[in-house]
Amino acid sequence: MRKLFFILLGALLVGTVTAQTMSVSVLGDSYSTYEDFVTPATNELWYYAKNSEAKTDVKEVRQTWWHQVIKENGWRLCLNNSYSGATISYTGYDGNDYRARSFNTRMNNLGSPDIIFIFGATNDSWAGSPVGEYKYEGITEGDMYYFRPALARMLKWMTDYYLNTKIYFLLNDDLRDEIDVSVKTICAHYGVPVIELTAIDKISGHPSVKGMRQIADQVNQFLNSK
């Protein structure tokens, strides 16, 4: 009887671990922000409930791409560290130093998730950040102002730090060709799958309600295909 008890207890514990809900963190820019759902709370936002219709028609957090993906897959949100205007490199708009909001600066604040979605490179493209050369070792502080070495440094650190965590990179549509090629090349180097988005509906350059749904659908389709 005692042996049977421990067998049943062990089976119960194994079942509990197996059924544990997967957790998701997001490292993003304005596309992934929403008021009261971003950490740290000091990060600049694009999406919030009282936005004007001219800026966006997204009025609820449930309309964001990441909320839909997490809910529909039965997962839970670990942490959303998204910052409007953020670049992966340290070079921002008008050549300003964007180190403070860079993906590289925020990548160590994502909690302990099972899955990480990186949704970036849009502002590097729009700001005209220089791409530089492909570089995977010996990346210096000066290299961080160029997109390619900055992305390489980020992915190397994240794949080393977030062990046994599945990392995906969401690539926006309508970006500069050199940004697209760079993302695909560097992600392939580090074994990070790229979810390449297409024909996303936008208002003021940002996903609308329809666009958010399109992103969620394309992410889910990619995950299901794998």
Side-chain angles (χ1 to χ4, degrees):
M1 182 65 71
R2 181 182 178 85
K3 183 178 180 180
L4 178 61
F5 170 77
F6 282 109
I7 291 174
L8 292 174
L9 178 61
L12 178 62
L13 291 174
V14 170
T16 301
V17 171
T18 302
Q20 184 177 8
T21 303
M22 303 279 278
S23 64
V24 177
S25 288
V26 179
L27 180 62
D29 51 31
S30 58
Y31 279 36
S32 304
T33 61
Y34 200 87
E35 184 179 18
D36 297 330
F37 288 86
V38 168
T39 302
T42 51
N43 288 3
E44 293 184 17
L45 307 174
W46 177 273
Y47 291 101
Y48 47 91
K50 296 182 179 179
N51 251 336
S52 67
E53 289 293 338
K55 189 172 183 181
T56 179
D57 60 351
V58 176
K59 303 297 182 182
E60 297 180 8
V61 70
R62 294 181 181 185
Q63 296 171 321
T64 61
W65 72 268
W66 53 266
H67 196 285
Q68 294 179 77
V69 169
I70 292 172
K71 182 178 180 180
E72 291 163 10
N73 285 283
W75 299 331
R76 64 179 179 85
L77 177 64
C78 178
L79 195 149
N80 180 1
N81 190 335
S82 296
Y83 200 130
S84 184
T87 49
I88 291 173
S89 71
Y90 288 170
T91 302
Y93 291 92
D94 300 319
N96 290 322
D97 193 319
Y98 270 31
R99 178 197 308 246
R101 69 180 68 193
S102 168
F103 282 62
N104 271 276
T105 302
R106 297 179 291 112
M107 64 185 177
N108 63 347
N109 186 11
L110 295 175
S112 300
D114 299 297
I115 299 168
I116 295 174
F117 290 117
I118 304 170
F119 198 167
T122 297
N123 288 298
D124 295 271
S125 182
W126 291 355
S129 304
V131 295
E133 302 297 327
Y134 290 109
K135 189 174 184 180
Y136 299 103
E137 300 293 339
I139 296 172
T140 66
E141 191 76 6
D143 290 329
M144 294 300 293
Y145 290 88
Y146 296 87
F147 180 73
R148 286 171 176 164
L151 178 59
R153 187 249 184 181
M154 180 184 77
L155 293 182
K156 182 180 188 303
W157 189 91
M158 291 182 69
T159 52
D160 284 344
Y161 184 81
Y162 295 104
L163 297 175
N164 299 317
T165 299
K166 192 64 180 176
I167 301 175
Y168 298 92
F169 194 105
L170 276 66
L171 181 61
N172 195 11
D173 59 349
D174 297 326
L175 301 185
R176 289 155 47 198
D177 289 342
E178 57 189 353
I179 294 290
D180 286 341
V181 172
S182 298
V183 168
K184 294 173 187 176
T185 301
I186 298 169
C187 282
H189 181 86
Y190 291 105
V192 174
V194 176
I195 304 175
E196 190 172 2
L197 305 175
T198 59
I200 303 302
D201 187 71
K202 299 170 185 174
I203 299 174
S204 300
H206 290 70
S208 61
V209 170
K210 179 181 178 181
M212 289 290 190
R213 181 66 258 175
Q214 290 171 323
I215 294 172
D217 287 342
Q218 291 179 34
V219 170
N220 283 331
Q221 182 178 18
F222 182 91
L223 297 177
N224 290 334
S225 71
K226 301 301 177 182

